[in-house]
Amino acid sequence: MPATPAWPPASLPRLYVDTELADGAALTLEGAPAHYLINVLRLPAGAQVKLFDDRTGEWLAELADTGRKRVSVRVARRLRPRDPVPDLWLLFAPIKRGRIDWLVEKATELGVARLMPVATQRTMVDRLNLERLRAHSIEAAEQCERTALPELEAPVALDQALHDWPGDRALYFADEGGGAPLAKAAEPGSAAILIGPEGGFTESERETIRAVPQARPVSLGPRILRADTAAVAAIALWMAAAGDWGEAANR
Ligand code: SAM
């Protein structure tokens, strides 16, 4: 079953919890989720919410008791299991705050399974706040009805990411220098998309990438896209050609 939700979306508040959910389970929410339910939505005891845990799926739950800073919740029943996610990784060079937040949010909505920041020779951003990026990813998953969060990896050097690249995973390398159109090149199966930094890849990096047997240089059209636009465009093209958008469109 595709990860994309049915339409129209149900209107109950929907939250991720980092606790395994089960029939009848009681849990206490604190921090940002509690603040959202108590102070933003002002939900009373008895109100229903949807919870998902990235492990067992999505559950209907009821607020049992609301305090000023915490809320206790009782899980009623499972609404759906954890959805399978198309096996697409996104390798991207870190870009500046704001743009990278947007990229992570959109990549989550579009359905990637794994987010992998890679440091390239022209990468200008040397420190990443993974906690902030994870919060953006969770918020996007809550909003778009994903039941599975994308994995968010710590940054690694491009060479390291390419070293021992899995033999069964196609590497679609977005090369502004040219390549096959991604819409035509994308094939079903395990895949990754590699997007360069704002300054592009160096010639030596291009050679290293092209030397990976699974690498396929692909084009995203005749215009040079910003890195964040390129990432989103590439994911959309792959999802439509080889991911779960075809099935979702027929639901
Ligand atoms: N400064 C670079 C240049 O002019 O060559 C442009 C880099 S672009 C802003 C950032 C990344 O987006 C590129 O490294 C590439 O991965 C991807 N990209 C942008 N436009 C693309 C296109 N038309 N085809 C393929 N990849 C593209």
Side-chain angles (χ1 to χ4, degrees):
M1 203 167 50
T4 318
W7 190 261
S11 57
L12 290 181
R14 192 169 181 278
L15 291 173
Y16 164 73
V17 290
D18 189 10
T19 307
E20 186 157 324
L21 299 170
D23 266 326
L27 58 147
T28 302
L29 303 180
E30 297 176 313
H35 171 75
Y36 177 65
L37 297 175
I38 301 166
N39 301 316
V40 179
L41 299 179
R42 298 179 174 275
L43 293 183
Q48 289 187 320
V49 294
K50 288 178 181 177
L51 302 177
F52 70 103
D53 58 2
D54 191 27
R55 297 167 218 179
T56 60
E58 181 183 74
W59 298 74
L60 187 66
E62 195 168 286
L63 306 195
D65 189 23
T66 58
R68 282 185 48 194
K69 292 195 168 170
R70 54 179 62 187
V71 52
S72 38
V73 175
R74 182 162 298 277
V75 177
R77 67 186 161 87
R78 188 154 78 151
L79 297 171
R80 55 191 176 122
R82 185 181 189 270
D83 293 311
V85 177
D87 191 9
L88 179 66
W89 299 353
L90 176 68
L91 281 74
F92 60 101
I95 48 177
K96 67 182 179 190
R97 188 180 173 158
R99 293 198 163 271
I100 195 168
D101 296 344
W102 185 86
L103 190 165
V104 164
E105 179 185 296
K106 298 307 159 204
T108 303
E109 285 176 46
L110 294 171
V112 299
R114 196 172 188 207
L115 294 158
M116 301 173 67
V118 288
T120 66
Q121 289 170 23
R122 293 187 181 142
T123 299
M124 303 299 284
V125 174
D126 55 3
R127 273 200 279 161
L128 268 195
N129 184 336
L130 286 179
E131 218 172 289
R132 193 189 76 236
L133 293 183
R134 183 168 158 80
H136 280 287
S137 175
I138 288 174
E139 212 172 292
E142 289 173 341
Q143 177 270 325
C144 76
E145 307 233 339
R146 274 183 79 143
T147 53
L149 297 176
E151 289 173 50
L152 174 61
E153 303 294 335
V156 294
L158 177 63
D159 285 353
Q160 194 184 330
L162 298 180
H163 192 65
D164 292 334
W165 185 258
D168 60 352
R169 184 171 296 276
L171 176 62
Y172 296 103
F173 151 48
D175 187 357
E176 65 269 26
L182 178 53
K184 290 198 176 140
E187 287 174 3
S190 302
I193 290 168
L194 171 59
I195 304 288
E198 288 304 348
F201 291 107
T202 63
E203 248 344 287
S204 70
E205 284 174 331
R206 269 205 182 78
E207 272 172 37
T208 309
I209 299 164
R210 284 171 185 267
V212 175
Q214 298 79 8
R216 298 168 200 178
V218 291
S219 163
L220 302 173
R223 289 164 288 279
I224 302 294
L225 308 176
R226 296 186 77 131
D228 45 345
T229 316
V232 168
I235 298 166
L237 287 169
W238 187 89
M239 283 290 170
D244 62 4
W245 288 16
E247 283 171 71
N250 295 327
R251 279 166 50 140

